[in-house]
Amino acid sequence: MPIPKVRCPQCGKTVEYLVSNPNRPFCSERCKMIDLGAWASDQYAIAGKSQEADDTLELTPDEAMPFDAVLPSKPQ
C-alpha cells in the first residue's frame, strides 16, 4: 500500500503521513508550534455561537430545584 502524502497545513510542503511522524499532519515541530500559536492568539476561530455568551443559566421556576434539595440536611 502506498504511503499517503499530505500538505503541511502551515507551509504547504508535501509530507508523508506516517504514524512515526510525531508532528503529523505538519512537516516539522516549527510548523506545528506556529499553528498552535495562531490558535492561542485567536487568529483562528471555529464558526458558531460563543460559549462565553452561554455562561449564564436561566431557569424558569418550574425548572429550578429548591435550595434545600441541593444541600445535605444538618444532623439534628
Side-chain angles (χ1 to χ4, degrees):
M1 180 187 286
I3 298 172
K5 294 184 180 186
V6 296
R7 293 214 177 262
C8 174
Q10 188 61 43
C11 71
K13 178 181 174 183
T14 301
V15 61
E16 293 180 342
Y17 193 77
L18 298 171
V19 175
S20 61
N21 176 3
N23 301 308
R24 71 180 174 169
F26 302 97
C27 66
S28 65
E29 177 76 13
R30 178 180 178 274
C31 280
K32 185 169 75 169
M33 296 309 291
I34 290 170
D35 187 75
L36 178 61
W39 280 104
S41 63
D42 291 330
Q43 291 177 18
Y44 299 144
I46 298 173
K49 189 175 177 183
S50 171
Q51 290 293 323
E52 292 173 5
D54 289 340
D55 64 356
T56 59
L57 178 64
E58 295 179 22
L59 298 175
T60 64
D62 293 335
E63 296 171 320
M65 185 182 301
F67 186 69
D68 58 349
V70 177
L71 298 175
S73 59
K74 293 182 183 178
Q76 304 266 336

